[in-house]
Each structure stands twice: as C-alpha cells, then as structure tokens.
Amino acid sequence: MAETFTLYKLIILYMLKKVDFPLTTSQISEFVLDKGYTSYFKLQEALSELARADLIRTEATHNRTLYHLTENGMETIHFFSRKISAAIRKDIDDFLREKQYDLKEEAAVKSDYYLNTNKEYEVRCQIVENGSGLIDLKLTVPTEKEAEAIVNHWNLKNQELYAMILAHLL
C-alpha cells in the first residue's frame, strides 16, 4: 500500500517535471482519475504530503490551486523516475502532449481578489507567459460579488479583453 501511494506522488512529480508551467488540481486530477490510478481523496492526500515535504509549492487563489515543482521535487523525481513504469510514463507523456496547449493556457491565466485596507475588494487579473507578465491588471470594486464576477469573466474572456486593450492602446 505504501509503495502504491509513493507511486501516486511520483506521478505528480513527473507530470510537473515534464511541463514548464504550473498545473492545477483539476489538470492533475483529470489525468490521474481518468486513468483510474487512484481516488480523488488519495490524490489530495498525495498533493498535501508533497507540499508538506517541500517537493511541490502551491499557489492558491479563490478558485483554484496551482502546483509548482520545487528544487527538492526536481531532485527527487530525477532519482526516482525509474520507479514509474514505462507504460505510466508513456501515458503521462501522451496526456501532456495532447493537452499541452490547453493546460498551458489555463495555467497562464490568473485571477484573484482580496479585501484591502479601505474595505474594498482589489481584483488582480493576469496573463503570464514563460514567467513574464503579458498583462497585470488591478481593479478596485466595492463588493465581493463584483470581485467574483470580474474573476469569473476574466477566466472566460481574457484573450478577448487582452486583444481589445492592445487594439485601443496601439
């Protein structure tokens, strides 16, 4: 049982090693659960243990969590990637190759909000590509409902809004 649980953690580390961007909980879940490797609860437990062990770093917002591979995680998967069968590595590689554009696009779009010292909600909307910000927009709104609406609309319409802003500014 412990060996199987270790495999789940190695799968997560391997997935993060193979991409140059963070993965979300839903992206990791899509692969692991669709392939039937484990249950959602075991996957969450594996993610938590990896974070506690400083093998992955989490970046949480109101609507999702992004996972980044740490230096310790990189070393760990370097030494133990052969513990993952060739068939599972192929499954992961195929999944990442087929969905790379969608996975990368989803991770590049970030939005979150918080209550500032003036008791207003500050919303931050970003598009990040290769570690550099293409756009970093901050808006202040009076209510949490408005902040949530902006976050949701940004996640749906970011490309359209980015293009419109550029068109007006250039």
Side-chain angles (χ1 to χ4, degrees):
M1 178 74 171
E3 200 170 295
T4 304
F5 191 68
T6 299
L7 176 62
Y8 307 150
K9 293 191 274 188
L10 290 173
I11 287 171
I12 295 165
L13 293 175
Y14 185 82
M15 288 180 77
L16 290 170
K17 177 184 177 245
K18 297 296 281 187
V19 296
D20 61 353
F21 50 89
L23 293 173
T24 67
T25 306
S26 64
Q27 292 170 330
I28 295 169
S29 296
E30 179 183 352
F31 172 77
V32 173
L33 300 179
D34 285 356
K35 291 293 184 183
Y37 289 122
T38 190
S39 69
Y40 178 79
F41 298 107
K42 284 289 185 193
L43 176 61
Q44 290 303 311
E45 187 179 346
L47 287 166
S48 294
E49 283 192 19
L50 289 169
R52 278 196 303 276
D54 191 38
L55 299 177
I56 61 174
R57 177 178 57 84
T58 61
E59 179 184 344
T61 66
H62 282 87
N63 57 349
R64 67 184 178 173
T65 302
L66 294 166
Y67 296 95
H68 303 261
L69 190 62
T70 65
E71 206 51 50
N72 290 339
M74 183 64 83
E75 288 177 25
T76 300
I77 196 60
H78 175 74
F79 288 116
F80 295 106
S81 65
R82 293 288 171 211
K83 297 258 183 206
I84 304 170
S85 73
I88 293 174
R89 285 196 310 267
K90 183 182 180 326
D91 283 348
I92 295 169
D93 293 343
D94 290 348
F95 172 80
L96 294 174
R97 188 173 30 262
E98 287 170 21
K99 301 203 175 239
Q100 182 168 3
Y101 178 77
D102 294 335
L103 296 172
K104 191 170 193 168
E105 184 178 339
E106 185 181 335
V109 177
K110 299 179 181 184
S111 58
D112 201 6
Y113 67 89
Y114 61 91
L115 189 63
N116 67 20
T117 56
N118 295 332
K119 304 290 186 223
E120 295 175 309
Y121 288 88
E122 202 161 294
V123 184
R124 185 174 185 193
C125 302
Q126 299 174 286
I127 300 174
V128 179
E129 191 171 281
N130 298 324
S132 297
L134 293 179
I135 187 168
D136 192 348
L137 178 66
K138 281 188 182 180
L139 303 165
T140 303
V141 293
T143 69
E144 185 173 16
K145 186 176 180 178
E146 291 170 325
E148 285 177 359
I150 291 169
V151 164
N152 292 334
H153 287 120
W154 181 254
N155 290 333
L156 295 172
K157 299 181 176 193
N158 60 80
Q159 290 179 342
E160 178 184 332
L161 293 168
Y162 178 68
M164 183 186 70
I165 290 169
L166 281 180
H168 285 302
L169 295 175
L170 295 176

